[in-house]
Amino acid sequence: QVQLVESGGGLVQAGGSLRLSCAASGSAFRIVSMAWYRQPPGKQRELVATITSAGTTNYADSVKGRCTISRDNAKNTLYLQMNSLKPEDTAVYYCNRPTIQWSWGQGTQVTVSS
């Protein structure tokens, strides 16, 4: 079973930037599509961005133009560069597969102050 460990969250002012990382154990990471999700306070988890093993990306409308998903298969690591952050981006951010998810990690908290 692949283990996922998210990091890089924090408290940032509106308009600021953060870079999230997700370290995955095992060799399966490099051959599967991956995704970033987020769960705002009191709301359901939602899909933020996806990336295929070849690097094709897709984004939710709410983050399009402000976030960039990327991966380093040699390091088994997934990234999410977040710019022009808004208070509504406040959430716990998770990484996982877009379908047939592995066990969820603990997530990383992103808090954007206005």
Side-chain angles (χ1 to χ4, degrees):
Q1 178 69 283
V2 173
Q3 290 186 322
L4 302 167
V5 180
E6 300 92 348
S7 62
L11 174 62
V12 63
Q13 289 188 333
S17 298
L18 284 172
R19 188 193 195 204
L20 307 183
S21 299
C22 166
S25 64
S27 59
F29 172 86
R30 60 199 65 184
I31 63 172
V32 300
S33 294
M34 290 294 296
W36 281 100
Y37 298 81
R38 66 186 181 188
Q39 186 165 16
K43 298 183 178 180
Q44 290 188 333
R45 189 175 291 159
E46 60 187 25
L47 184 65
V48 174
T50 61
I51 185 168
T52 67
S53 57
T56 300
T57 59
N58 201 8
Y59 299 92
D61 288 343
S62 58
V63 303
K64 197 172 294 183
R66 301 189 296 118
C67 293
T68 302
I69 187 172
S70 62
R71 65 193 298 165
D72 186 335
N73 288 337
K75 296 182 178 180
N76 273 15
T77 303
L78 182 73
Y79 302 101
L80 185 67
Q81 177 67 44
M82 307 172 66
N83 301 323
S84 302
L85 283 162
K86 305 175 181 180
E88 49 264 44
D89 294 319
T90 294
V92 180
Y93 284 72
Y94 301 88
C95 64
N96 211 318
R97 299 175 64 180
T99 59
I100 314 175
Q101 282 94 5
W102 293 315
S103 296
W104 293 91
Q106 83 288 350
T108 187
Q109 175 71 48
V110 171
T111 303
V112 184
S113 63
S114 57

